[in-house]
Amino acid sequence: MAATRKPLEKYRRIVIKIGSALLVDRKAGLRKSWLDAMCADIAGLRAKGVDVLVVSSGAIALGRSVLDLASGALKLEESQAAAAVGQIALARAWSESLSRDDIVAGQILLTLGDTEERRRYLNARATISQLLKMRAVPIINENDTVATTEIRYGDNDRLAARVATMTGADLLVLLSDIDGLYTAPPHLDPDARFLETIVEITPEIEAMAGGAASELSRGGMRTKIDAGKIATGAGCAMIIASGKVDHPLSAIAAGARSSWFAPSASPVTARKTWIAGQLLPSGSLAVDAGAETALQSGKSLLPAGVRQVTGGFSRGDTIAIIGTDGREIARGLAGYDADEARQIAGRKSGEIATILGYAGRAAMVHRDDMVMTAARRETDMVKRDAHA
């Protein structure tokens, strides 16, 4: 049975992502009255038994306002300095606004490695879970003071999706300066149609994504769709809505325009959610048609089905598996280092010991360490068509 949209208070745990342009005015600084209204909405959900987590952008934007930095692009070290100042101001603002309803805020700063490395991922999840048990509201942000171009998320949409899957949330709300998904960027195409319900994130849906629309924002619709793929694949619904109004969550509850993305009908397990949500695979394996069919039927990837090995990954790293049409069909944990994988690619499992000098694993990627991506979405679409 297909999932249907339900009132916000009916969700068990909600992650709310707030864009920089909503919290910070480039000239006036922090929009305190908006933040107070937002926190009142959070208090309302909390009173109805809903766990709420916030992924808050705005540290760099607020820091550059406090430091009175000129508009325009900042150098990396300037962004990091602005974040160092802004994170203190941002945490204080959230704490003060939530305390109006006797709610305690807890700040958590994450880097890419905190969600990509399994041990750090589990540690971050444990901390967040403990805060929720203590009835605090976690205020989460990317640690821009140490993040560099190579290791950062680059936006908080995907960070919010990773937090949602990490904590087992059943709804992710992305608040920004646009009220949902359109068939084309509405500021460029006056004929763009609004999409209220998205049952599946197909290649056509991905093609509708535009770029960033605000100087204070690093994200855009592209990153929101990426976030949707991560969240819905783990069984978490997602809403994209405008946060420009005061009390944006109350507005959503009252029926304000927003786009709702249905969760997958067959979400992956917690461990496989972590694998599927990896943002930067360490390498890839291109497979032949026979291997692709085997993977879609739930089998492991054997060396014989691998046509090409790309990247410098190590055993246990997350790698992408590429199908015959050049698209990613799965992700999994490598059973071999890249150099060994290249030596046994295309060979039978019985030849591994002779080639490598030791009896290795039969599978290049074991099915227990693998999650289907594109193939699983296509299967879901077939199932829906069959019941249409």
Side-chain angles (χ1 to χ4, degrees):
M1 182 176 178
T4 57
R5 186 165 180 163
K6 56 187 180 181
L8 295 184
E9 66 268 18
K10 297 298 183 182
Y11 288 94
R12 178 182 55 83
R13 180 168 293 170
I14 300 176
V15 173
I16 304 163
K17 182 267 179 178
I18 297 169
S20 297
L22 301 178
L23 266 175
V24 183
D25 180 271
R26 188 163 58 87
K27 295 181 179 179
L30 180 72
R31 300 178 61 209
K32 190 176 186 308
S33 61
W34 183 92
L35 180 57
D36 288 343
M38 180 73 224
C39 289
D41 280 356
I42 292 173
L45 286 174
R46 283 275 306 264
K48 294 176 180 177
V50 181
D51 285 341
V52 178
L53 303 86
V54 176
V55 174
S56 176
S57 300
I60 292 177
L62 187 56
R64 70 186 297 165
S65 175
V66 172
L67 294 169
D68 196 25
L69 299 177
S71 60
L74 297 177
K75 297 177 182 177
L76 176 60
E77 59 270 23
E78 291 174 332
S79 292
Q80 292 172 326
V85 173
Q87 281 170 356
I88 293 175
L90 190 62
R92 181 174 63 244
W94 275 106
S95 180
E96 290 176 352
S97 288
L98 285 169
S99 68
R100 291 157 58 97
D101 289 286
D102 297 321
I103 297 174
V104 174
Q107 184 188 47
I108 297 180
L109 300 177
L110 298 176
T111 61
L112 183 61
D114 293 321
T115 60
E116 302 301 279
E117 295 179 21
R118 183 67 173 169
R119 181 177 295 179
R120 290 161 66 182
Y121 171 95
L122 294 173
N123 287 341
R125 185 175 69 178
T127 301
I128 294 171
S129 295
Q130 189 60 43
L131 282 172
L132 292 172
K133 286 180 183 177
M134 294 176 170
R135 300 298 294 156
V137 171
I139 307 297
I140 301 162
N141 196 357
E142 183 176 9
N143 192 355
D144 288 310
T145 60
V146 298
T148 67
T149 302
E150 292 77 19
I151 65 172
R152 74 189 315 159
Y153 283 93
D155 64 86
N156 273 352
D157 293 324
R158 288 178 294 182
L159 172 58
R162 289 294 265 156
V163 168
T165 61
M166 175 193 294
T167 59
D170 48 354
L171 178 65
L172 169 63
V173 179
L174 302 182
L175 296 176
S176 66
D177 50 9
I178 191 167
D179 56 5
L181 178 65
Y182 290 77
T183 54
H187 62 288
L188 298 177
D189 185 354
D191 296 323
R193 290 185 297 106
F194 178 79
L195 301 178
E196 183 175 5
T197 300
I198 295 88
V199 177
E200 185 76 20
I201 300 178
T202 62
E204 290 75 20
I205 293 294
E206 294 186 60
M208 296 174 188
S214 168
E215 175 189 300
L216 295 180
S217 173
R218 291 200 302 263
M221 192 55 67
R222 170 74 266 166
T223 62
K224 290 174 175 54
I225 296 302
D226 288 343
K229 290 165 65 178
I230 295 170
T232 59
C236 177
M238 185 178 85
I239 291 175
I240 298 176
S242 172
K244 288 183 176 180
V245 299
D246 285 346
H247 297 284
L249 299 181
S250 296
I252 294 172
R257 173 180 278 192
S258 61
S259 293
W260 182 78
F261 293 71
S264 170
S266 53
V268 296
T269 63
R271 183 164 181 269
K272 290 192 175 184
T273 291
W274 173 73
I275 295 171
Q278 291 271 296
L279 300 178
L280 298 172
S282 299
S284 65
L285 303 176
V287 301
D288 60 26
E292 186 168 349
T293 300
L295 296 183
Q296 290 172 352
S297 66
K299 292 183 170 58
S300 298
L301 175 61
L302 303 180
V306 177
R307 297 186 294 107
Q308 183 178 12
V309 178
T310 303
F313 53 87
S314 299
R315 179 187 160 210
D317 285 349
T318 298
I319 54 177
I321 299 174
I322 310 300
T324 54
D325 63 356
R327 291 192 306 135
E328 178 184 312
I329 60 170
R331 288 195 182 186
L333 304 182
Y336 288 92
D337 293 347
D339 289 343
E340 293 178 329
R342 289 187 177 90
Q343 294 179 58
I344 62 176
R347 308 296 285 271
K348 295 180 180 179
S349 298
E351 300 178 76
I352 293 176
T354 301
I355 296 170
L356 299 182
Y358 70 95
R361 295 164 179 76
M364 192 82 86
V365 180
H366 195 276
R367 64 183 181 180
D368 292 341
D369 296 329
M370 186 190 313
V371 57
M372 303 304 291
T373 51
R376 186 167 62 85
R377 292 197 298 271
E378 289 164 3
T379 300
D380 288 344
M381 290 173 67
V382 170
K383 291 179 179 177
R384 284 197 309 277
D385 291 343
H387 291 87

